[in-house]
């Protein structure tokens, strides 16, 4: 459970933490301290000049002062690196209102502070990506305890800002364990700076291969500490020599991958077998946008929470750019399937302690009042949930970077091969459709037919949705889901669904599945669809790619021609996949694309290492080897 900070001030007006009994910055001037200690101590801006990318890791975000000072210096430097990653941890983040009140003390940062406040995330645990300056500046906020979260980061930092309350007030943040974690995350030649010169800190840093020096401190403090990492260990994920990629498939996965890659400076060619984007599983009139919490906050809960927030941020970015995107922030109500499930839902809300604007529990009476329709049970209410029209999302993704994304339609790929350090996509006659150093497989259910993806334990699940004329049922102002779902009116129709038949390849509309969808709707909203028959109903069938563990598959593709050694699975150079979205394509799309683009570019990852491993393609190979058994069966999506 995340405990937000409370804004208070010392007698001289300096921001103060009542929890730690210490100030957030020097009373002699916060911006000047940030520039002297953290930028100057890391020899910035000189060290980022001429670089393609530069990564800064900060151990305490606080009021964002160091970030604002760094942003300002980077923004005004004509020789600054092309892209700056700023990763910062914070155990007790401020609310947007408190952040705005505190940052008003620094008028020199007012325009930047306003942008930061506008993008400020909900105070929920985990990692939050804020794309600023048209994606050239990426702020990754990690809301959680640095003593645990540092061990879960995946990045190589070029500079460290060791900041936080004094070692006497907050000793855990300056411990040998923290220093060990810092060294693990250091890129070759990384530097660090901090205002603390405590002997225990110097000893721990020196023990982990940092050469240290004392420099003149700021204002009333005589000394500060600067250091350089002397180890020459190789960079764990070097940046690619050439940023060109082919993407196979123009659904939610492929177009999101193309958009995020292009925002990082990649040139992307998207090859689509149909005559336009979103013709497959991403072609439905509306899809569900909501997370899936759990009492134990398991990996699916963490991933859907992160995915939900990432998709919302991506939709808002596309919308702000004026792109033709259709989505409804109607709110979403996930009704319990029975009384035991209802009790579990209530317990999850009480245990997780998430902000009410993210998650609430509504009992039967409150849910009925919100819906203006009587229901049998209550459930989870997501005020920020809603629906998205996937074809408009796919088109907006492609239109977001027109100078870097080229869509090739009616372009079925029959085979892929690696030749002369390029991946080539070929048609049935063996003609080259496109070539690039990197290839991303995002073709959904079609992927396993390619020999290099035959290992992928993914199957197609037939899903039929029913389109009800809005006048055939009572009004519905928000999205309702549970065992089935129903949307508000979209272009005069209500989307209801959906069936789920693994391995069923029949594409024709079936009246019995319309009837099944109507039964699901009546179970959610008793009597809501009474009198609606199946005759003349419209619908659509799509085939969703599902994996045994119901999680996506994102990362480099294993090279099965080489042996697995320990936990290391060799991979094919430049071959990637973003697959297995199942029935959660909208929720997964932006986050998985960000993860893929970050891995391809050798950048800090937007997820903790245990979640990255849970999504990695090699997980199926390692599990099968470890258990010496077949992969698990595919269960119902419901």
């Amino acid at each position: 459970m995340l405990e937000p900070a409370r804004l208070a001030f010392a007698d001289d007006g300096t921001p103060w933490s009542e929890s730690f009994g210490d100030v957030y910055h020097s009373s002699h001037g916060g911006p000047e301290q940030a520039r002297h200690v953290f930028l100057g101590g890391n020899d910035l801006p000189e060290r980022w000049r001429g670089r393609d990318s530069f990564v800064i890791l900060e151990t305490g975000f606080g009021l964002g002062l160091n970030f604002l000072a760094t942003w300002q210096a980077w923004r005004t430097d004509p020789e600054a690196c092309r892209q700056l990653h700023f990763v910062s941890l914070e155990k007790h983040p401020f609310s947007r209102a408190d952040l705005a009140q505190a940052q008003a003390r620094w008028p020199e940062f007012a325009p930047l502070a306003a942008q930061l406040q506008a993008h400020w995330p909900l105070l929920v645990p985990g990692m939050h990506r804020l794309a600023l300056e048209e994606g050239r500046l990426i702020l990754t906020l990690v809301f959680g305890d640095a003593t645990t979260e540092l061990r879960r980061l995946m990045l190589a930092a070029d500079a460290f800002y060791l900041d936080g309350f004094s070692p006497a007030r907050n000793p855990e943040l300056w411990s040998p364990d923290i220093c060990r974690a810092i060294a693990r995350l250091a890129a070759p030649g990384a530097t660090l700076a901090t205002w603390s010169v405590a002997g225990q800190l110097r000893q721990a840093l020196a023990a982990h291969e940092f050469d240290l020096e004392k420099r003149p401190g700021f204002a009333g403090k005589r000394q500060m500490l600067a250091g350089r990492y002397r180890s020459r260990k190789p960079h764990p994920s070097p940046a690619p020599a050439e940023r060109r990629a082919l993407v196979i498939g123009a659904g939610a996965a492929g177009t999101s991958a193309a958009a995020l890659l292009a925002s990082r400076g990649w040139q992307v060619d998207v090859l689509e077998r149909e005559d336009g984007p979103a013709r497959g599983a991403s072609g439905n009139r509306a899809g569900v946008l909501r997370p899936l919490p759990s009492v134990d906050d398991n990996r699916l809960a963490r991933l859907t929470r992160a995915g939900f927030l990432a998709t919302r941020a991506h939709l808002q970015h596309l919308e702000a750019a004026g792109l033709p995107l259709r989505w409804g922030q109607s709110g979403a109500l996930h009704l319990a399937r029975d009384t035991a499930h209802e009790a579990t839902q209530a317990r999850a809300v009480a245990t997780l302690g998430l902000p009410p604007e993210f998650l609430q529990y509504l009992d039967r009476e409150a849910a009925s009042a919100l819906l203006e329709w009587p229901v049998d049970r209550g459930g989870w209410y997501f005020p920020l949930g809603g629906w998205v029209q996937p074809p408009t999302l796919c088109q907006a993704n492609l239109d977001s970077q027109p100078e870097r994304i080229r869509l090739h339609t009616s372009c079925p790929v029959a085979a892929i091969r690696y030749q002369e350090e390029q991946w080539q996509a070929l048609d049935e006659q063996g003609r080259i459709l496109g070539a690039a150093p990197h290839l991303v497989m995002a073709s959904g259910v079609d992927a396993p037919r390619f020999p290099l993806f035959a290992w992928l334990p993914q199957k197609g699940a037939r899903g039929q949705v029913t389109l009800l004329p809005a006048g055939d049922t009572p009004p519905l102002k928000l999205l309702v889901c549970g065992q089935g779902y129903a949307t508000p009116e979209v272009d005069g129709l209500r989307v209801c669904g959906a069936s789920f038949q693994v391995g069923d390849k029949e594409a024709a509309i079936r009246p019995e599945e319309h009837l099944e969808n109507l039964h699901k709707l009546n179970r959610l909203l008793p009597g809501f669809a009474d009198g609606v028959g199946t005759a003349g109903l419209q619908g659509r069938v799509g085939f969703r790619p599902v994996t045994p563990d119901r999680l996506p598959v994102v990362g480099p593709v294993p090279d099965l021609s080489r042996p697995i050694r320990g936990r290391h699975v060799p991979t094919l150079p430049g071959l990637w996949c973003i697959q297995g979205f199942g029935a959660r394509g909208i929720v997964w799309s932006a986050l998985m694309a960000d993860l893929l683009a970050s891995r391809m570019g050798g950048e800090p990852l937007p997820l903790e290492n245990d979640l990255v491993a849970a999504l990695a393609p090699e997980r199926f190979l390692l599990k099968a080897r470890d258990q010496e058994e077949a992969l698990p069966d595919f269960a119902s999506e419901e």
Side-chain angles (χ1 to χ4, degrees), residues 88-361:
S88 186
L89 299 101
E90 182 52 61
K91 184 177 181 180
H92 302 297
F94 281 100
S95 68
R96 179 184 283 110
D98 281 353
L99 197 71
Q101 181 183 348
Q103 291 177 346
R105 296 167 52 85
W106 310 311
E108 64 196 283
F109 298 137
L112 304 183
Q115 291 186 56
L116 175 62
Q117 294 154 25
H119 288 82
W120 193 246
L122 289 177
L123 302 190
V124 300
M127 300 176 72
H128 304 266
R129 273 270 169 94
L130 282 64
L132 304 163
E133 302 286 353
E134 299 181 344
R136 292 183 57 230
L137 171 60
I138 297 180
L139 170 62
T140 303
L141 293 164
V142 185
F143 289 163
D145 192 335
T147 60
T148 55
E149 296 303 320
L150 275 172
R151 295 197 297 269
R152 301 163 73 180
L153 295 181
M154 298 184 72
L155 57 84
D158 299 296
F160 294 94
Y161 292 3
L162 304 188
D163 198 10
F165 299 111
S166 71
R169 303 287 186 178
N170 189 19
E172 295 84 3
L173 198 60
W174 307 91
S175 68
D177 285 343
I178 291 288
C179 297
R180 182 182 304 110
I182 291 294
R184 181 184 71 83
L185 297 170
T191 61
L192 65 82
T194 179
W195 47 265
S196 176
V197 292
Q200 183 181 12
L201 174 65
R202 288 186 283 116
Q203 185 177 17
L205 289 171
H208 290 96
E209 299 189 83
F210 280 96
D211 294 324
L212 305 170
E213 63 171 321
K214 292 180 181 179
R215 295 184 183 180
F218 174 72
K221 191 165 179 59
R222 188 168 63 89
Q223 294 177 319
M224 59 167 279
L225 196 65
R228 183 174 294 273
Y229 190 55
R230 63 176 174 268
S231 173
R232 304 309 299 175
K233 66 181 181 182
H235 194 296
S237 302
E242 189 176 2
R243 292 175 180 257
R244 286 194 302 113
L246 294 178
V247 174
I248 300 179
T255 63
S256 297
L260 269 291
L261 284 168
S263 73
R264 300 317 210 266
W266 289 70
Q267 295 292 327
V268 185
D269 285 276
V270 181
L271 308 180
E272 169 56 47
R273 66 185 303 168
E274 304 295 339
D275 61 358
R279 297 296 194 264
S282 299
N284 286 341
R285 188 174 296 264
V288 175
L289 178 60
R290 63 96 171 86
L292 190 65
S294 69
V295 175
D296 61 352
D297 205 27
N298 59 32
R299 67 184 185 185
L300 179 61
R302 291 164 57 202
L303 281 165
T304 57
R305 180 170 68 234
F308 169 75
L309 294 172
T311 293
R312 276 186 51 86
H314 184 58
L315 293 172
Q316 290 168 339
H317 169 75
L318 294 173
E319 192 172 53
L323 294 168
L325 176 68
R326 298 201 63 202
W327 65 303
Q329 302 178 68
S330 60
L333 184 61
H334 184 133
L335 294 171
R337 59 181 174 268
D338 52 40
T339 54
H341 186 216
E342 187 176 15
T344 299
Q345 287 182 313
R347 190 166 70 253
V349 173
T351 301
L352 296 172
L354 297 170
E357 56 267 48
F358 180 84
L359 173 64
Q360 302 173 28
Y361 168 74

Side-chain angles (χ1 to χ4, degrees), residues 309-502:
L309 294 172
T311 293
R312 276 186 51 86
H314 184 58
L315 293 172
Q316 290 168 339
H317 169 75
L318 294 173
E319 192 172 53
L323 294 168
L325 176 68
R326 298 201 63 202
W327 65 303
Q329 302 178 68
S330 60
L333 184 61
H334 184 133
L335 294 171
R337 59 181 174 268
D338 52 40
T339 54
H341 186 216
E342 187 176 15
T344 299
Q345 287 182 313
R347 190 166 70 253
V349 173
T351 301
L352 296 172
L354 297 170
E357 56 267 48
F358 180 84
L359 173 64
Q360 302 173 28
Y361 168 74
L362 302 183
D363 61 20
R364 180 178 63 83
E365 291 77 13
S368 298
L370 180 65
L371 287 166
E372 299 178 1
W373 190 267
V375 293
D376 294 335
R377 283 170 288 277
W380 285 320
Y381 175 49
F382 306 98
L384 299 177
W387 58 271
V388 179
Q389 194 168 82
T392 69
L393 171 60
C394 294
Q395 190 62 57
N397 280 330
L398 295 169
D399 292 343
S400 66
Q401 300 279 340
E403 70 285 0
R404 294 197 179 108
I405 300 174
R406 293 184 298 184
L407 173 65
H408 307 266
T409 57
S410 302
C411 195
V413 177
I416 60 174
R417 70 184 180 196
Y418 192 61
Q419 189 168 301
E420 297 178 355
E421 299 186 343
Q422 299 260 325
W423 284 99
Q424 299 175 344
L426 311 174
D427 66 11
E428 290 186 351
Q429 287 72 43
R431 293 175 299 205
I432 298 175
L433 299 171
H438 297 263
L439 186 146
V440 177
M441 183 60 67
S443 61
V445 295
D446 201 37
R449 74 174 177 83
F450 293 93
L452 291 175
F453 291 87
W455 56 270
L456 181 62
Q458 174 186 277
K459 292 186 178 180
R462 171 191 159 93
Q464 179 176 312
V465 298
T466 299
L467 303 177
L468 290 174
D472 289 1
T473 63
L476 187 62
K477 63 181 182 181
L478 71 159
L479 186 140
V480 182
C481 56
Q483 290 185 301
Y485 69 90
T487 70
E489 175 186 339
V490 182
D491 297 331
L493 296 170
R494 191 178 320 288
V495 183
C496 305
S499 61
F500 187 86
Q501 306 292 335
V502 175

